[in-house]
Amino acid sequence: MEKKKSERNIFGFDGSFINFCDKLFDVMALGFLWILCSLPVITIGASSTALYYAMVKCIKKGDGYIAREFFHSFRMNLIPGTILWVLIAAATFAMHLNIGILMKETDGKVGLFFICVYAITSIYILAASCYIFPALSRFDMNVGWFVKIGLYMVVRYFGTTLALLLVLVCAMGLIWKIPMLMFFLPGPVAFVMSDFLERVLKKHEPTKEEKYM
């Protein structure tokens, strides 16, 4: 009798299996919303901010509806998210452009040295962006401070940074092998990354005393 009761609890409407499927559907749906709102390209920053906000609030905390929370954050952070994304994209493009020029025009150790410098800088920018948009979803600061906090957190939480980059590399590797996965991985990737990022962001949340000062 206990075994049958346990099975009913797992696979019933209130069981863990149904809850798991429900959460999985929401995670995938958020990924599709991110893809949809990122199609104009220039809105990738606001879309990434909204993805993280809705992932934490709706999936992690079980509060609110995914579409409503996603578009609420998207509208609120459209301007700062777009500015930050343009800055990140421009800096990354400049690094890759310099690498391409050096690979064509230079030889020897000096050229290799600067190629490595630009490549490392490009990775650093990518790592900083992993913190910038989640921070934008959580805190109210000017754009310059988000850039500073992103650059700071890359070094301050180096172990977390390596974990985030590993998740991204694995995701990009899977998409490289199976391109169709680009439509299904954004949600799960954001879910996994949020586990690491929440441990960091919670350390920088203001205390109750600071909120009411």
Side-chain angles (χ1 to χ4, degrees), residues 5-197:
K5 184 178 179 181
S6 176
E7 289 175 351
R8 286 199 300 270
N9 288 337
I10 293 173
F11 294 100
F13 287 108
D14 295 325
S16 58
F17 179 74
I18 297 299
N19 290 333
F20 171 78
C21 291
D22 187 50
K23 293 291 185 183
L24 180 61
F25 175 82
D26 287 345
V27 168
M28 300 300 292
L30 280 174
F32 290 132
L33 285 175
W34 178 81
I35 293 172
L36 178 65
C37 292
S38 296
L39 288 178
V41 179
I42 198 171
T43 58
I44 288 178
S47 183
S48 299
T49 303
L51 172 62
Y52 187 85
Y53 177 83
M55 186 68 69
V56 172
K57 184 171 184 179
C58 301
I59 307 299
K60 299 286 186 179
K61 298 181 179 179
D63 182 20
Y65 298 96
I66 56 173
R68 184 178 66 188
E69 300 300 338
F70 181 94
F71 286 110
H72 168 73
S73 177
F74 185 86
R75 289 191 298 269
M76 280 191 61
N77 298 296
L78 180 59
I79 294 177
T82 300
I83 294 172
L84 287 166
W85 167 245
V86 169
L87 291 174
I88 291 169
T92 303
F93 176 77
M95 295 303 107
H96 287 215
L97 181 63
N98 287 332
I99 290 172
I101 293 173
L102 286 170
M103 290 180 69
K104 289 183 179 180
E105 302 295 336
T106 62
D107 292 317
K109 294 181 179 179
V110 175
L112 179 61
F113 171 78
F114 282 103
I115 288 173
C116 291
V117 169
Y118 289 130
I120 292 172
T121 303
S122 182
I123 295 172
Y124 191 89
I125 294 169
L126 173 63
S129 68
C130 291
Y131 293 100
I132 288 173
F133 296 115
L136 177 60
S137 76
R138 185 72 57 86
F139 307 121
D140 184 16
M141 302 182 291
N142 61 49
V143 169
W145 274 106
F146 285 114
V147 174
K148 292 177 183 178
I149 199 171
L151 296 174
Y152 162 77
M153 285 182 171
V154 171
V155 179
R156 175 64 179 82
Y157 303 101
F158 190 66
T160 299
T161 299
L162 292 179
L164 295 173
L165 290 176
L166 179 61
V167 172
L168 289 177
V169 169
C170 291
M172 287 187 287
L174 288 172
I175 292 172
W176 178 265
K177 291 290 184 181
I178 311 174
M180 184 61 66
L181 288 177
M182 72 174 65
F183 298 106
F184 301 97
L185 283 181
V189 167
F191 180 85
V192 173
M193 292 178 70
S194 68
D195 277 342
F196 297 103
L197 287 163

